[in-house]
Amino acid sequence: MRCAILADIHANLAAFEAVLGDIERKGGVDELWCLGDIVGYGPDPCRCIELLREYNPVCVVGNHDHATIGKIELSYFNPYAAAACQWTAGQLSQDDVAYLEGLPLTVEKGEFLLAHGSPADPVMEYVMSTGIAAKNFDFFQSKYCLVGHTHVPAAFKEEKGTCLSVNLSPGIGMVLGASRMIINPGGVGQPRDGDPRASYVIYDSEGRVFRLYRIPYDISATQDKMMEAGLPIHLITRLEVGR
Ligand code: ZN
């Protein structure tokens, strides 16, 4: 079984389409797993929800998805993110809202638990250090956990009671072994590791291989639409630096 793992699309249609095109070029996948934050920040929330749903994905909810439909107070967000959430809320159809409302906090798929933030706090917590990852291994039963939210590709493994960071480099396969792991495929629509290209993973269950890909997309097309929509300039410029 081949599976594409995507996180943090953030209404960036150009980035999302570039990733989907890349998946097709690589022969397609059997399943698409999405780790939340379909909307927020970007200019195409409705089209991104619609396109994602065409793939019948396994999908969990993210903090921006929740904020957009009023399940999280916007006061938890910085002013830019809050403004984008408010704008997004005005764009969504009733059907879009119903879809986001129906998304679960976590999903278990075979050996994997899927969550947006962390297994301990599926919507809000960022797993961005070995310290935070270490405590999170106690919060899921499955062997592996997939998270998004930081927009930074990362992998952590638990070995002999300690937690180690594992390098996840583009194009180089990582074979799942005996150790439990927490893995982040990076962000599709707003990467934050200094590489502005969209980030995603293909998992092949046959060789148990995880492979990270970075895909260039038309950043200026997304920026132009954000400008037209009147979204905050800070959110527009950060796309080209990937921070
Ligand atoms: Zn996000």
Side-chain angles (χ1 to χ4, degrees):
M1 197 267 298
R2 273 163 58 84
C3 170
I5 303 163
L6 278 58
D8 297 284
I9 295 166
H10 279 299
N12 187 338
L13 183 64
F16 187 24
E17 285 180 334
V19 164
L20 292 172
D22 190 66
I23 293 169
E24 291 312 312
R25 273 193 301 280
K26 290 181 166 63
V29 290
D30 303 299
E31 289 190 18
L32 197 154
W33 297 354
C34 174
L35 305 175
D37 275 3
I38 308 164
V39 302
Y41 294 133
D44 284 302
C46 306
R47 185 66 193 119
C48 284
I49 293 173
E50 189 182 24
L51 186 56
L52 180 68
R53 292 179 72 179
E54 285 174 21
Y55 286 77
N56 197 22
V58 175
C59 187
V60 294
V61 77
N63 57 321
H64 286 254
D65 304 321
H66 260 180
T68 299
I69 57 172
K71 282 193 168 184
I72 295 177
E73 290 267 349
L74 286 180
S75 55
Y76 284 100
F77 283 59
N78 69 54
Y80 309 115
C85 276
Q86 228 153 16
W87 177 85
T88 304
Q91 305 295 310
L92 299 182
S93 69
Q94 274 185 350
D95 194 42
D96 294 333
V97 171
Y99 179 70
L100 296 180
E101 266 174 352
L103 292 175
L105 293 173
T106 60
V107 172
E108 238 181 285
K109 282 287 292 178
E111 298 179 291
F112 297 91
L113 180 80
L114 279 59
H116 178 66
S118 76
D121 182 350
V123 176
M124 294 304 272
E125 186 175 45
Y126 294 88
V127 181
M128 52 203 324
S129 66
T130 48
I132 297 170
K135 90 168 167 76
N136 266 285
F137 280 105
D138 292 336
F139 286 85
F140 63 105
Q141 311 298 317
S142 56
K143 192 156 182 189
Y144 311 107
C145 178
L146 303 172
V147 296
H149 197 35
T150 65
H151 306 195
V152 174
F156 302 95
K157 73 173 168 183
E158 193 185 41
E159 220 168 58
K160 296 175 187 144
T162 55
C163 178
L164 305 167
S165 176
V166 180
N167 205 11
L168 200 57
S169 303
I172 298 170
M174 177 180 76
V175 180
L176 297 183
S179 302
R180 297 180 76 214
M181 294 190 83
I182 298 174
I183 305 164
N184 188 321
V188 171
Q190 194 204 70
R192 291 183 189 163
D193 61 340
D195 181 345
R197 295 174 299 172
S199 186
Y200 84 101
V201 157
I202 291 181
Y203 173 63
D204 192 332
S205 65
E206 208 165 297
R208 297 171 66 74
V209 183
F210 256 79
R211 203 166 257 124
L212 180 81
Y213 295 104
R214 298 308 289 258
I215 310 301
Y217 72 95
D218 190 348
I219 294 174
S220 62
T222 296
Q223 289 177 315
D224 288 350
K225 286 193 211 170
M226 291 173 79
M227 202 81 86
E228 256 169 61
L231 287 159
I233 190 77
H234 168 70
L235 300 180
I236 298 172
T237 53
R238 73 186 299 180
L239 289 179
E240 70 211 35
V241 288
R243 291 282 180 200

Short mmCIF file of all heavy atoms in Angstrom, two decimals, residues 62-83 85-86 89 123-124:
data_model
loop_
_atom_site.label_atom_id
_atom_site.label_comp_id
_atom_site.label_asym_id
_atom_site.label_seq_id
_atom_site.Cartn_x
_atom_site.Cartn_y
_atom_site.Cartn_z
N GLY A 62 -7.23 20.44 12.31
CA GLY A 62 -6.14 21.27 12.82
C GLY A 62 -6.66 22.49 13.56
O GLY A 62 -7.86 22.77 13.54
N ASN A 63 -5.75 23.22 14.21
CA ASN A 63 -6.18 24.39 14.99
C ASN A 63 -6.80 25.48 14.12
O ASN A 63 -7.76 26.13 14.53
CB ASN A 63 -5.02 24.93 15.83
CG ASN A 63 -3.79 25.29 15.03
OD1 ASN A 63 -3.44 24.59 14.08
ND2 ASN A 63 -3.12 26.37 15.41
N HIS A 64 -6.28 25.67 12.91
CA HIS A 64 -6.86 26.70 12.03
C HIS A 64 -8.24 26.27 11.52
O HIS A 64 -9.12 27.11 11.35
CB HIS A 64 -5.92 27.02 10.87
CG HIS A 64 -4.74 27.82 11.28
ND1 HIS A 64 -4.60 29.15 10.99
CD2 HIS A 64 -3.66 27.49 12.02
CE1 HIS A 64 -3.46 29.60 11.51
NE2 HIS A 64 -2.87 28.60 12.14
N ASP A 65 -8.39 24.97 11.26
CA ASP A 65 -9.71 24.46 10.86
C ASP A 65 -10.72 24.75 11.98
O ASP A 65 -11.83 25.22 11.72
CB ASP A 65 -9.66 22.95 10.60
CG ASP A 65 -8.61 22.57 9.55
OD1 ASP A 65 -8.46 23.31 8.56
OD2 ASP A 65 -7.95 21.53 9.74
N HIS A 66 -10.31 24.47 13.21
CA HIS A 66 -11.19 24.69 14.36
C HIS A 66 -11.48 26.17 14.57
O HIS A 66 -12.61 26.56 14.84
CB HIS A 66 -10.56 24.10 15.63
CG HIS A 66 -11.14 22.76 16.00
ND1 HIS A 66 -10.74 22.04 17.09
CD2 HIS A 66 -12.12 22.03 15.39
CE1 HIS A 66 -11.44 20.92 17.16
NE2 HIS A 66 -12.26 20.88 16.13
N ALA A 67 -10.45 27.01 14.44
CA ALA A 67 -10.65 28.45 14.67
C ALA A 67 -11.60 29.04 13.64
O ALA A 67 -12.44 29.89 13.95
CB ALA A 67 -9.31 29.17 14.63
N THR A 68 -11.46 28.55 12.40
CA THR A 68 -12.29 29.07 11.30
C THR A 68 -13.77 28.79 11.54
O THR A 68 -14.62 29.58 11.14
CB THR A 68 -11.82 28.45 9.97
OG1 THR A 68 -10.47 28.84 9.77
CG2 THR A 68 -12.64 28.92 8.81
N ILE A 69 -14.08 27.68 12.18
CA ILE A 69 -15.49 27.35 12.42
C ILE A 69 -15.91 27.68 13.86
O ILE A 69 -16.94 27.22 14.33
CB ILE A 69 -15.80 25.87 12.09
CG1 ILE A 69 -14.90 24.92 12.91
CG2 ILE A 69 -15.61 25.61 10.59
CD1 ILE A 69 -15.28 23.45 12.77
N GLY A 70 -15.08 28.48 14.54
CA GLY A 70 -15.48 29.00 15.85
C GLY A 70 -15.28 28.05 17.01
O GLY A 70 -15.83 28.26 18.09
N LYS A 71 -14.50 26.98 16.82
CA LYS A 71 -14.30 26.03 17.93
C LYS A 71 -13.09 26.39 18.79
O LYS A 71 -12.86 25.76 19.81
CB LYS A 71 -14.14 24.61 17.38
CG LYS A 71 -15.45 23.97 16.97
CD LYS A 71 -15.23 22.48 16.75
CE LYS A 71 -16.53 21.72 16.61
NZ LYS A 71 -16.28 20.28 16.50
N ILE A 72 -12.28 27.35 18.32
CA ILE A 72 -11.18 27.88 19.13
C ILE A 72 -11.30 29.40 19.09
O ILE A 72 -11.54 29.97 18.03
CB ILE A 72 -9.79 27.48 18.56
CG1 ILE A 72 -9.56 25.98 18.61
CG2 ILE A 72 -8.67 28.20 19.32
CD1 ILE A 72 -8.23 25.55 17.98
N GLU A 73 -11.12 30.03 20.23
CA GLU A 73 -11.13 31.50 20.31
C GLU A 73 -9.98 32.07 19.48
O GLU A 73 -8.84 31.59 19.59
CB GLU A 73 -10.92 31.92 21.77
CG GLU A 73 -12.09 31.62 22.66
CD GLU A 73 -13.03 32.81 22.77
OE1 GLU A 73 -12.65 33.90 22.32
OE2 GLU A 73 -14.15 32.61 23.29
N LEU A 74 -10.25 33.11 18.71
CA LEU A 74 -9.19 33.72 17.90
C LEU A 74 -8.13 34.42 18.76
O LEU A 74 -7.04 34.72 18.29
CB LEU A 74 -9.79 34.71 16.90
CG LEU A 74 -10.52 34.07 15.71
CD1 LEU A 74 -11.08 35.13 14.79
CD2 LEU A 74 -9.60 33.14 14.92
N SER A 75 -8.46 34.65 20.04
CA SER A 75 -7.48 35.29 20.93
C SER A 75 -6.27 34.39 21.18
O SER A 75 -5.23 34.85 21.64
CB SER A 75 -8.14 35.66 22.26
OG SER A 75 -8.75 34.52 22.83
N TYR A 76 -6.39 33.09 20.87
CA TYR A 76 -5.23 32.19 20.99
C TYR A 76 -4.24 32.39 19.84
O TYR A 76 -3.14 31.85 19.86
CB TYR A 76 -5.69 30.73 20.96
CG TYR A 76 -6.31 30.26 22.26
CD1 TYR A 76 -7.69 30.18 22.41
CD2 TYR A 76 -5.51 29.91 23.35
CE1 TYR A 76 -8.26 29.76 23.60
CE2 TYR A 76 -6.07 29.48 24.54
CZ TYR A 76 -7.45 29.41 24.65
OH TYR A 76 -8.00 28.99 25.83
N PHE A 77 -4.65 33.13 18.82
CA PHE A 77 -3.84 33.28 17.60
C PHE A 77 -3.14 34.63 17.57
O PHE A 77 -3.63 35.60 18.14
CB PHE A 77 -4.74 33.15 16.37
CG PHE A 77 -5.13 31.75 16.03
CD1 PHE A 77 -5.82 30.96 16.95
CD2 PHE A 77 -4.83 31.20 14.80
CE1 PHE A 77 -6.18 29.67 16.65
CE2 PHE A 77 -5.20 29.90 14.48
CZ PHE A 77 -5.88 29.12 15.41
N ASN A 78 -2.01 34.70 16.83
CA ASN A 78 -1.40 36.01 16.61
C ASN A 78 -2.32 36.79 15.65
O ASN A 78 -3.17 36.22 14.98
CB ASN A 78 0.04 35.86 16.09
CG ASN A 78 0.11 35.31 14.68
OD1 ASN A 78 -0.51 35.83 13.76
ND2 ASN A 78 0.86 34.24 14.50
N PRO A 79 -2.16 38.13 15.60
CA PRO A 79 -3.11 38.96 14.84
C PRO A 79 -3.20 38.59 13.35
O PRO A 79 -4.27 38.68 12.75
CB PRO A 79 -2.55 40.38 14.98
CG PRO A 79 -1.61 40.34 16.12
CD PRO A 79 -1.16 38.93 16.31
N TYR A 80 -2.08 38.15 12.76
CA TYR A 80 -2.09 37.78 11.33
C TYR A 80 -2.92 36.52 11.10
O TYR A 80 -3.76 36.45 10.20
CB TYR A 80 -0.67 37.54 10.82
CG TYR A 80 0.29 38.64 11.14
CD1 TYR A 80 1.37 38.43 12.00
CD2 TYR A 80 0.13 39.92 10.59
CE1 TYR A 80 2.26 39.44 12.31
CE2 TYR A 80 1.01 40.94 10.89
CZ TYR A 80 2.07 40.70 11.75
OH TYR A 80 2.94 41.69 12.06
N ALA A 81 -2.65 35.52 11.93
CA ALA A 81 -3.38 34.25 11.80
C ALA A 81 -4.86 34.47 12.09
O ALA A 81 -5.74 33.90 11.42
CB ALA A 81 -2.79 33.21 12.76
N ALA A 82 -5.16 35.31 13.09
CA ALA A 82 -6.55 35.59 13.45
C ALA A 82 -7.27 36.28 12.29
O ALA A 82 -8.41 35.92 11.96
CB ALA A 82 -6.61 36.45 14.71
N ALA A 83 -6.60 37.26 11.67
CA ALA A 83 -7.21 37.97 10.54
C ALA A 83 -7.49 37.02 9.39
O ALA A 83 -8.55 37.07 8.76
CB ALA A 83 -6.28 39.10 10.07
N CYS A 85 -8.00 33.77 9.62
CA CYS A 85 -9.09 32.88 10.02
C CYS A 85 -10.44 33.57 9.85
O CYS A 85 -11.41 32.96 9.39
CB CYS A 85 -8.93 32.43 11.47
SG CYS A 85 -7.83 31.01 11.62
N GLN A 86 -10.48 34.84 10.21
CA GLN A 86 -11.72 35.60 10.08
C GLN A 86 -12.12 35.72 8.60
O GLN A 86 -13.28 35.53 8.25
CB GLN A 86 -11.51 37.00 10.64
CG GLN A 86 -12.61 37.43 11.57
CD GLN A 86 -12.10 38.45 12.59
OE1 GLN A 86 -11.04 39.05 12.40
NE2 GLN A 86 -12.85 38.65 13.64
N ALA A 89 -13.38 32.33 7.37
CA ALA A 89 -14.73 32.02 7.85
C ALA A 89 -15.79 32.62 6.92
O ALA A 89 -16.85 32.01 6.70
CB ALA A 89 -14.91 32.53 9.27
N VAL A 123 -4.70 19.18 18.95
CA VAL A 123 -4.92 20.38 18.14
C VAL A 123 -3.84 21.44 18.35
O VAL A 123 -3.39 22.08 17.41
CB VAL A 123 -6.33 20.97 18.42
CG1 VAL A 123 -6.53 22.27 17.66
CG2 VAL A 123 -7.40 19.98 17.98
N MET A 124 -3.38 21.64 19.58
CA MET A 124 -2.57 22.83 19.86
C MET A 124 -1.07 22.61 20.09
O MET A 124 -0.28 23.51 19.88
CB MET A 124 -3.15 23.55 21.10
CG MET A 124 -4.52 24.14 20.87
SD MET A 124 -4.63 25.29 19.46
CE MET A 124 -4.19 26.85 20.24
#
